[in-house]
Amino acid sequence: MKLKHIINGMAILSLGLTACSDQMDHKEFKIDGEDYIMRDFDKVGKITTHIYRNLDYDHGNFGGAMLSSATDESVYSHQGNAIETFFNGSWSASNDNGNIWDSSFDAIAYCNLYLDRFVDLDFPEHKLEKDYKDQMLKYNNYQWEVRFMRAYFHFLLLRQYGDVPLMTENYDAEEANNQPRAAADDVFKFIDDECVAIKDTIIANYSGAYNSIENESGRVNNLAVLALRARAALYHASPLFTQGKSEAEKKDLWKEAALRNKECIDECKKRSMTLAKNYSNLFAINNWQDSEAIKEIIFARRVADDRNMETRNFPIGMSGAGGGNCPTENLVSAYEMKNGLPISDPNSGYDPQDPYKDRDARLAATVAVNGEKWPVNLPTDALEIWYGGANSRAITYGTPTGYYLKKYVNGDQKISGTGMTASPHTWILFRLGQVYLDYAEAILNYCGNGYETPDGFTLSAADAINLVRKRAGQPNLPTGLGFSEFEQRYENERFIELAFEGHRMYDVHRWMKAPQYLTDIKVMEITKNDAGELNFKTVTNPSYITKRTWGGDHQYFWPLPQAQVLKSGALTQNPGW
């Protein structure tokens, strides 16, 4: 893990959070000691912004591949990419894919440093300045933000590795390297206790929080604290973390998860937050300026202007495009017809030779299909994904699945030639639609059916799911489903609603359902005959994509980086690795 960071004499790369654009403003500055930092609001604040910079987002963390391409959401079009180690048998403790380990412990080290050395300051040299009161309000809130961040980064480690060191002090190098792994239950308790301690103290709404200094709406508020508490409770109740517990203990944890998600939903309602009317706008470049989208987004990582998502994921056939993370037919088939029936239902009206007609609107918001004019600067009149077409797998790095990614990708971006553009991007960490689905999962497992609303609650699992479906224009779930059928419909709803938001890998792992979902990959093969007629055919595990295997249940928790285990005097490796 990362050692304690010594401030004296080091250079810190910092970012600024600004109210108008909320873009990252990267700066480098030299500091001459703790006393120098402690005299200035801005320099103390830059410690916290370094912590924010470690927040997770996935615009292609594996050499352009997103974690989605290790799941049934997508296939990365560049064969031999590092993402394949998750399923080709080469995943190991020495090849651990553990980027979260370093970034999270780096952030936690800074959190502990800040809480140990930089709280309870009064900046005497600034007391006569007119904005002193507002600066102190902002400064005094930093400690609550930092405590949230420390809890959040522990959660990232916990969901990936299970038992992890619980780092709550500003350790020196030797102490840091000799912290043992704490039991997952203890880490969950720490996260929950921290959220309880800060939820009523941290600033609730940054809009208008200060009179004389700029607001910073990209910072964490009390809703994010409640959302973290709720998500951690959901994971704590999930099968991966309840192995060996009694049925009564499991039920209590599901109830706790339902209560925590209800708490978050209720607080969102008090703040007039609601689901955005337009699903696509949630993932647009200006979502934090959209009056509807911002009602749903609880907390997000904001990224500076770039074109990485577009360069990596625009269709082959465009100059400079990479093809990228191509949605699977597994995902596309999960989208129902507009009448609410699965495409496998003979009464659904699904036409295999006109497969995208009358489908759930979220499909068009997420996936680019053959015959569609996307993106704006596509050099042809429409995507030619049929074999031999300008954007097909017949071209190097062309889509192997029959689809291209739209979600989080700015279709107006120009990635080559003169006048290239860049735009801000947002990675949503918590949003209300996701909280409704988390609540539905918790209350379903607590009650044992999808339609019961127990005392103390106001929504059944079906009620919560139907709110999300309504925004998409989909009818309510059918009534009378048994537990297994309802659970399957819930998992399908989560698959499509949260596609490419970074949940799929961790959902399938915490459900302990990897063999069911992650091994058989379906693609859409499209051919064109001499008469110009198209034929659509679904194929499972074609030879031109890397075969996916599941190495065993030990893979539900990732291997700790072997170098860290060897360096530490206390770390032990996860079983099976």
Side-chain angles (χ1 to χ4, degrees):
M1 70 197 67
K2 290 288 185 180
L3 305 181
K4 169 188 154 183
H5 291 264
I6 306 299
I7 285 190
N8 192 28
M10 69 175 285
I12 296 178
L13 286 174
S14 175
L15 59 91
L17 302 174
T18 61
C20 54
S21 68
D22 294 291
Q23 298 176 10
M24 292 184 182
D25 177 21
H26 293 279
K27 301 176 182 177
E28 184 173 324
F29 63 96
K30 187 176 183 302
I31 52 181
D32 299 313
E34 288 182 30
D35 290 343
Y36 177 74
I37 296 174
M38 291 177 178
R39 293 199 299 266
D40 187 84
F41 290 112
D42 185 57
K43 291 181 177 61
V44 172
K46 289 185 187 303
I47 301 173
T48 71
T49 53
H50 175 84
I51 297 168
Y52 272 87
R53 193 178 61 175
N54 281 279
L55 284 171
D56 52 311
Y57 70 102
D58 187 1
H59 289 169
N61 290 341
F62 297 89
M66 301 167 68
L67 190 58
S68 63
S69 290
T71 76
D72 53 348
E73 282 183 321
S74 62
V75 174
Y76 194 57
S77 64
H78 297 236
Q79 289 284 311
N81 181 271
I83 198 69
E84 296 178 5
T85 61
F86 283 102
F87 51 77
N88 68 5
S90 62
W91 195 14
S92 68
S94 57
N95 187 24
D96 56 271
N97 298 320
N99 55 324
I100 288 291
W101 183 275
D102 287 343
S103 61
S104 294
F105 277 118
D106 176 87
I108 290 169
Y110 270 96
C111 289
N112 286 328
L113 177 65
Y114 183 91
L115 294 170
D116 182 51
R117 313 280 270 277
F118 293 96
V119 297
D120 298 326
L121 304 177
D122 61 1
F123 305 97
E125 296 177 10
H126 296 274
K127 283 188 176 180
L128 297 180
E129 296 174 1
K130 63 180 181 180
D131 64 352
Y132 177 78
K133 182 177 180 180
D134 281 334
Q135 290 284 8
M136 285 299 296
L137 177 62
K138 180 179 175 181
Y139 160 73
N140 285 324
N141 194 64
Y142 285 160
Q143 63 184 301
W144 313 122
E145 297 175 59
V146 169
R147 287 179 68 175
F148 166 87
M149 291 292 179
R150 184 173 62 175
Y152 179 76
F153 286 110
H154 274 99
F155 170 74
L156 294 186
L157 292 162
L158 178 61
R159 74 174 182 178
Q160 191 155 301
Y161 299 105
D163 300 351
V164 291
L166 186 52
M167 309 288 281
T168 60
E169 298 178 26
N170 184 30
Y171 303 107
D172 64 27
E174 183 177 357
E175 290 171 330
N177 273 334
N178 285 280
Q179 293 303 306
R181 300 173 71 179
D185 285 347
D186 293 335
V187 184
F188 277 120
K189 184 178 187 306
F190 167 76
I191 294 168
D192 191 71
D193 288 346
E194 285 292 276
C195 290
V196 171
I198 64 181
K199 66 185 180 69
D200 296 324
T201 309
I202 196 169
I203 288 177
N205 187 353
Y206 288 90
S207 178
Y210 319 120
N211 294 315
S212 58
I213 58 176
E214 196 171 36
N215 292 319
E216 295 183 334
S217 60
R219 289 187 177 273
V220 63
N221 64 8
N222 71 323
L223 290 179
V225 176
L226 296 179
L228 172 59
R229 189 184 185 200
R231 183 177 296 175
L234 180 75
Y235 272 71
H236 197 187
S238 298
L240 182 59
F241 290 97
T242 57
Q243 298 174 84
K245 296 187 184 298
S246 70
E247 292 305 310
E249 289 172 319
K250 293 176 183 178
K251 185 172 182 178
D252 286 344
L253 287 170
W254 283 121
K255 181 179 181 181
E256 177 68 12
L259 287 169
R260 298 289 68 82
N261 280 279
K262 177 183 183 297
E263 179 184 26
C264 185
I265 291 168
D266 289 346
E267 189 62 28
C268 285
K269 287 181 178 179
K270 290 178 184 177
R271 297 268 288 278
S272 299
M273 294 188 69
T274 186
L275 298 182
K277 293 180 180 178
N278 187 311
Y279 179 79
S280 295
N281 289 353
L282 282 169
F283 314 102
I285 60 172
N286 61 345
N287 56 6
W288 62 81
Q289 298 170 329
D290 185 285
S291 60
E292 290 296 325
I294 203 64
K295 291 180 181 178
E296 180 169 347
I297 299 172
I298 295 173
F299 186 49
R301 165 71 192 264
R302 296 172 182 176
V303 183
D305 288 9
D306 67 20
R307 50 182 169 270
N308 289 337
M309 279 293 284
E310 293 73 34
T311 300
R312 292 165 176 167
N313 294 290
F314 270 175
I316 286 299
M318 295 182 65
S319 177
N325 300 275
C326 301
T328 62
E329 182 60 37
N330 305 58
L331 176 63
V332 173
S333 293
Y335 292 89
E336 301 167 350
M337 302 296 287
K338 287 184 177 179
N339 59 22
L341 295 177
I343 65 171
S344 59
D345 190 315
N347 297 314
S348 68
Y350 174 70
D351 181 354
Q353 296 307 313
D354 192 5
Y356 316 120
K357 180 182 179 182
D358 295 330
R359 300 288 292 277
D360 183 326
R362 289 171 290 187
L363 173 58
T366 305
V367 179
V369 304
N370 184 75
E372 179 178 1
K373 175 68 174 180
W374 189 90
V376 169
N377 295 307
L378 187 74
T380 55
D381 291 335
L383 283 170
E384 299 176 358
I385 298 177
W386 42 271
Y387 190 78
N391 317 108
S392 73
R393 67 178 176 86
I395 313 300
T396 302
Y397 303 140
T399 172
T401 65
Y403 303 105
Y404 287 101
L405 177 62
K406 290 171 73 174
K407 191 171 180 179
Y408 274 131
V409 181
N410 177 11
D412 293 323
Q413 202 86 275
K414 187 174 182 182
I415 64 170
S416 65
T418 59
M420 287 193 297
T421 59
S423 57
H425 295 76
T426 300
W427 184 258
I428 297 175
L429 300 174
F430 300 101
R431 64 179 176 94
L432 183 56
Q434 160 254 308
V435 179
Y436 276 124
L437 292 178
D438 289 0
Y439 171 87
E441 182 178 341
I443 203 75
L444 169 67
N445 283 279
Y446 170 54
C447 296
N449 74 76
Y451 308 101
E452 181 181 344
T453 307
D455 291 344
F457 296 92
T458 56
L459 296 172
S460 67
D463 293 334
I465 295 170
N466 288 336
L467 287 169
V468 175
R469 290 172 62 85
K470 182 178 180 181
R471 186 257 300 284
Q474 291 299 103
N476 289 346
L477 289 173
T479 58
L481 297 175
F483 179 86
S484 295
E485 291 177 292
F486 194 99
E487 182 181 54
Q488 185 176 358
R489 292 296 291 264
Y490 164 75
E491 291 176 4
N492 192 79
E493 194 70 31
R494 190 175 181 92
F495 190 23
I496 61 177
E497 173 71 19
L498 302 182
F500 298 100
E501 295 182 46
H503 294 280
R504 185 63 173 174
M505 171 70 91
Y506 299 107
D507 283 343
V508 172
H509 279 216
R510 67 184 175 83
W511 295 334
M512 301 185 73
K513 293 185 177 182
Q516 176 180 336
Y517 284 121
L518 300 186
T519 55
D520 290 329
I521 300 300
K522 299 177 182 179
V523 305
M524 179 62 79
E525 288 189 346
I526 310 172
T527 55
K528 189 176 185 178
N529 64 20
D530 292 340
E533 299 168 328
L534 297 177
N535 181 71
F536 295 81
K537 180 182 179 182
T538 298
V539 177
T540 302
N541 298 328
S543 60
Y544 49 82
I545 66 171
T546 302
K547 181 175 176 56
R548 301 193 177 192
T549 59
W550 177 245
D553 286 358
H554 69 281
Q555 291 188 341
Y556 285 126
F557 287 127
W558 296 29
L560 275 65
Q562 187 64 18
Q564 298 295 335
V565 175
L566 294 174
K567 181 171 65 176
S568 170
L571 285 180
T572 56
Q573 185 58 265
N574 270 328
W577 293 103

